Amino acid sequence: MSDQNNYVLGGLSTGDYDTSLTPENAADELELPPGTLIAFRSSGGLRFRSRAYVIYRNGWVVQHDEATRMRHITHTKLAHIAHLALRARLARARPRLRSPADGYIYEVVARLGGRTYRAEFAQSSIPPEAVPLLRVLRAIG
């Protein structure tokens, strides 16, 4: 067993580890600013495109692209989105996904009932309970 400390693989001894092979960067994680109901991002496509926006509890929708764009939705629409988010069962754990060659990945972060929920959906495998929420979120952005 003492021979193990003498082995070197790629410049690393058995007591070291490679920090260059870490999971996805935390800075890439979708943020949920204070006062936000939902943050949404879609990314992928044949010609890669990414768009993200947040929906605040006061009805403001803020999209950050080349320039920040804002618009307002009604409180009825806001309540409808919150209802769809609850029905989408975002709390169910899903693994981090990789975008298929020409498909989309949808990321949703929601603050509902004092708890924060994160979910990712691949375009090719969206659970039926999440379809109405994603349809509305895609239409808003």
Side-chain angles (χ1 to χ4, degrees):
M1 284 283 207
S2 63
D3 289 345
Q4 281 185 340
N5 291 333
N6 296 329
Y7 292 111
V8 175
L9 178 62
L12 297 174
S13 70
T14 55
D16 296 330
Y17 58 93
D18 187 355
T19 59
S20 68
L21 299 175
T22 56
E24 289 188 28
N25 188 353
D28 191 37
E29 194 169 279
L30 193 58
E31 294 292 322
L32 195 62
T36 303
L37 174 66
I38 288 185
F40 174 74
R41 177 169 45 201
S42 66
S43 55
L46 191 56
R47 297 176 78 194
F48 185 83
R49 179 178 172 199
S50 179
R51 63 183 176 154
Y53 61 86
V54 293
I55 302 173
Y56 288 90
R57 293 188 176 281
N58 61 6
W60 283 103
V61 178
V62 179
Q63 186 168 357
H64 298 283
D65 289 334
E66 294 81 35
T68 300
R69 294 183 287 163
M70 296 177 63
R71 64 188 192 108
H72 196 269
I73 59 174
T74 66
H75 289 288
T76 303
K77 182 81 164 178
L78 197 63
H80 181 66
I81 291 169
H83 174 74
L84 291 176
L86 286 170
R87 293 196 49 153
R89 297 174 54 196
L90 299 175
R92 194 168 69 184
R94 293 179 180 87
R96 300 248 341 142
L97 302 170
R98 293 189 139 200
S99 179
D102 59 349
Y104 280 87
I105 295 290
Y106 304 106
E107 300 171 68
V108 179
V109 182
R111 189 171 291 125
L112 304 165
R115 296 182 64 195
T116 301
Y117 301 96
R118 294 184 180 277
E120 290 187 4
F121 306 98
Q123 182 180 10
S124 60
S125 61
I126 299 172
E129 63 270 12
V131 170
L133 174 65
L134 293 176
R135 186 178 298 133
V136 168
L137 292 177
R138 286 191 327 245
I140 287 175

